[in-house]
Amino acid sequence: MAEHKDDPGQAAKLTQSRRATQAGAAAEPLTAQNGTAQDRVTEDDRSGSRTGTADKNPATVVRRKQRYLIGFRSLPGIASLPSDPFLERLGQMDGVEITRRLKGRGLQAAGMTPIAGAPAAAAPEVVVAHMDEQRGEALRLNAPPHVIVEIDAPLGYSDMAVTEPMSWQHAVQVMPFPRPRREIRFRILGEGERPLANAVVNLYGPGFPVQAITDSSGQASLQTHAVDGSGIHAVYVRPAADHWERYIQNPSLEPGQVNVIRLNPLDRTSGSFPGEPGERSYSWGQRNMKFDRVPMDWNGAGTKIGIIDSGCDTSHPLLRHIVRGVDFTRDKDPQSWKSDELGQGTHCAGIVAASALAASSGIIGCAPGSELHIFKVVPGGHFSDLIDALDQCIERRLDIVQIGVTSEHFSELVARKITEARLNGIACIAGAGNSGGAVQFPGNVPGVMTVSAVGKLGEYPQDTRHAQRALPQLIAFSGIYATNFSGWGPQVGLCAPGVAVVSCVPGGGYAAWDGCSMAASHIAGFSALLLSHHPMLQSINFGARADQRVSILYDFLRAAAIPYAQVDPNRVGAGLRDLQQVPGLLPSNQQFYGSGIGAGTVLGTLQPSFTHPAYLGDPMNAILQLRAAGLWV
């Protein structure tokens, strides 16, 4: 394996570049201060840096212009104008560049009251403008009451593969001066001593954690400040597919040799994965939510689900039926949404709608008969892309939307679009976030069904990071536990399986991943079964696309929960869903109140009586309606 050595001429090149940069900065100080200089390196500059010609055309590093969203809120007694004068004045300001206009394709925006006799107004326009931060903050603070000015923040996603052990967070220190580094080489082998390519290897030790990806021979080389292998706290290997991950604390490593780590093939406690031919392989989460106890033909047919995430690899054998999507990170490219660099969108799509033929082996999604729409917004997306994606969900008349992205910022404009989606009958489902702290946006928006993640003991090998996810004091007798990474707060409505969830990954394989997005995917599939098979949600009165249908769906989700009595509801909400506990979903002779992992024992508590949803009004009238429909005994 080739070793990386310092180029003796590199220091001279960097010195020349710095001098040229300083000269350029001195010649144009006002340009850099006003933020009008080029804030990105051109393609020629990038190629020049590789050929040694970059010194001829140096790029001065300045603060980049900030992206801002400008929209409008409705005020009592003030009608919305088709083109607000504020936008006209904004477009005439020096240093302000309007780069994008989002025309609302949905119905009337939330909170707008139509004028009597006038046609329904279209959703107001939202624009994206680039400007320096000083001007942007001045506009935000001095905007008229009906104008919203906010940062068009980048959308985030959580890669659970590289999260640092919580006990080491405060021990990590920046190295203020160069220190000698040692090379540690690894070789990752899988089943049958086969080298595993594209496995992520993480080392935790002095300084920041370091990471590398194995090549085709299964080898990877990492540089560390540890004097020898004894200074490494842990090594974590995450394979690309079809094998369990490996997490080794206090490993014995030899810097001068190739350190071999063997991974076990992905399987379940009951047998090999994904299963024998002709066998439907349910995940541990699906079994706990009783997906294996409902009729085989209950597959969510007739429902339309949107997944706003990182795209979906439709070349996977179980995802080839997904044909609808759009990529908002590449100007709505009609094909690039099928490329999933992060893998999370593909994994979530598999949980929701993986479709395996009866005679083939493979996992089965929660609602394989549903119509899936993919909206790619990460990596590289912003709030404006999320607004555009939600607009398309409204235009396509979807039933359920799973939002798989998060942000540390709050957006009033995104929150208004989510409200608009709900008023159009779309149930928005989001994970609570993987920060281990407060619920992240958009899970903290009213009207969103926010889902936290739980795990179960015994569903993974003990030498994996899955085994590090449990909060020890919050483990029930059944083995279900609250996780240390899941967001928590009063906004959490439900919990669902989010640890060691096996699903599809790009390239055609399978992987066991953790995260609140995996938990939200279970709830999205659960909701699809209710919408497509529950008699009340299929009725004329309650099946119409409106906010009332979303409220009924949410009430049924809460009613089907098995509470987690030992834990603060801020961590698990109403509890874990159980399809056989949904009032009126199954005939009375199929309702399940047995022993084992059924009602009253999954989370170590008793199932309370069904609370009649508020939308039914008088309780006696509610019982009469349910009996008339054959849904109450």
Side-chain angles (χ1 to χ4, degrees), residues 5 14 46 128 177 212 257 266 278 369 456 541 544 546 554 567 593:
K5 298 181 179 179
L14 292 176
R46 286 195 292 267
V128 180
F177 51 87
Q257 301 179 15
L266 191 64
K456 185 180 181 183
N541 293 332
Y554 286 176
V567 182
Y593 299 101

Side-chain angles (χ1 to χ4, degrees), residues 130 135 193 243 247 288 391 457 503 506 549 573-574:
H130 287 212
R135 183 187 294 274
E193 296 294 296
H243 289 77
Y247 176 66
N288 272 265
D391 252 330
L457 300 177
S503 185
R549 184 178 72 156

Side-chain angles (χ1 to χ4, degrees), residues 298-573:
W298 284 29
N299 57 11
T303 59
K304 296 193 291 186
I305 304 175
I307 296 182
I308 302 177
D309 211 301
S310 60
C312 177
D313 180 11
T314 58
S315 67
H316 195 288
L318 305 188
L319 302 177
R320 291 173 181 169
H321 61 291
I322 302 174
V323 296
R324 300 169 179 85
V326 60
D327 185 354
F328 291 93
T329 67
R330 297 184 182 178
D331 296 327
K332 301 180 182 178
D333 189 295
Q335 297 298 325
S336 58
W337 62 271
K338 300 177 182 179
S339 174
D340 184 2
E341 299 91 340
L342 305 178
Q344 179 172 286
T346 302
H347 200 270
C348 291
I351 297 172
V352 175
S355 179
L357 298 177
S360 67
S361 62
I363 66 171
I364 187 72
C366 298
S370 61
E371 179 181 298
L372 219 58
H373 296 244
I374 305 299
F375 303 98
K376 182 176 180 178
V377 295
V378 288
H382 295 76
F383 278 155
S384 53
D385 300 300
L386 180 54
I387 292 174
D388 209 353
L390 288 168
D391 252 330
Q392 284 220 6
C393 292
I394 298 173
E395 184 180 33
R396 299 184 185 200
R397 299 178 65 82
L398 302 188
D399 301 295
I400 303 164
V401 173
Q402 179 191 334
I403 305 176
V405 292
T406 60
S407 177
E408 297 178 354
H409 301 272
F410 186 90
S411 169
E412 180 180 348
L413 291 171
V414 173
R416 286 168 55 86
K417 186 58 63 176
I418 290 175
T419 302
E420 183 183 348
R422 173 161 176 163
L423 293 176
N424 282 273
I426 299 177
C428 293
I429 299 171
N434 299 330
S435 67
V439 171
Q440 294 181 304
F441 182 85
N444 53 10
V445 174
V448 172
M449 180 55 72
T450 304
V451 187
S452 65
V454 295
K456 185 180 181 183
L457 300 177
E459 295 294 338
Y460 41 76
Q462 287 302 303
D463 60 347
T464 64
R465 283 293 299 276
H466 307 305
Q468 307 292 320
R469 306 302 190 193
L471 290 170
Q473 68 276 23
L474 303 180
I475 302 177
F477 293 112
S478 61
I480 301 292
Y481 58 79
T483 59
N484 54 19
F485 65 82
S486 181
W488 59 280
Q491 302 91 347
V492 173
L494 312 169
C495 66
V499 177
V501 177
V502 178
S503 185
C504 309
V505 290
Y510 305 92
W513 287 3
D514 307 338
C516 286
S517 290
M518 288 75 225
S521 299
H522 283 86
I523 299 301
F526 194 103
S527 301
L529 292 192
L530 297 187
L531 287 176
S532 60
H533 301 291
H534 199 289
M536 183 173 289
L537 291 170
Q538 289 286 306
S539 67
I540 297 176
N541 293 332
F542 301 118
R545 298 184 55 81
D547 174 58
Q548 185 183 35
R549 184 178 72 156
V550 179
S551 298
I552 296 173
L553 173 63
Y554 286 176
D555 284 333
F556 278 128
L557 288 174
R558 296 186 185 96
I562 298 179
Y564 199 164
Q566 298 95 325
V567 182
D568 184 348
N570 288 334
R571 289 199 177 272
V572 295

Side-chain angles (χ1 to χ4, degrees), residues 12 19 50 64 73 79 147 218 223 230 301 318 321 343 515 522:
R19 291 174 180 173
R50 294 189 295 266
R64 65 176 180 269
R73 62 172 64 93
V147 178
Q223 300 286 335
S230 62
L318 305 188
H321 61 291
H522 283 86

Side-chain angles (χ1 to χ4, degrees), residues 72-74 78-83 103-125 391 394 416-417 420 423-424:
F72 305 93
R73 62 172 64 93
S74 301
I78 300 179
S80 179
L81 300 175
S83 179
K103 301 286 187 179
R105 291 184 296 272
L107 302 181
Q108 183 169 308
M112 297 180 60
T113 304
I115 301 175
E125 182 181 47
D391 252 330
I394 298 173
R416 286 168 55 86
K417 186 58 63 176
E420 183 183 348
L423 293 176
N424 282 273

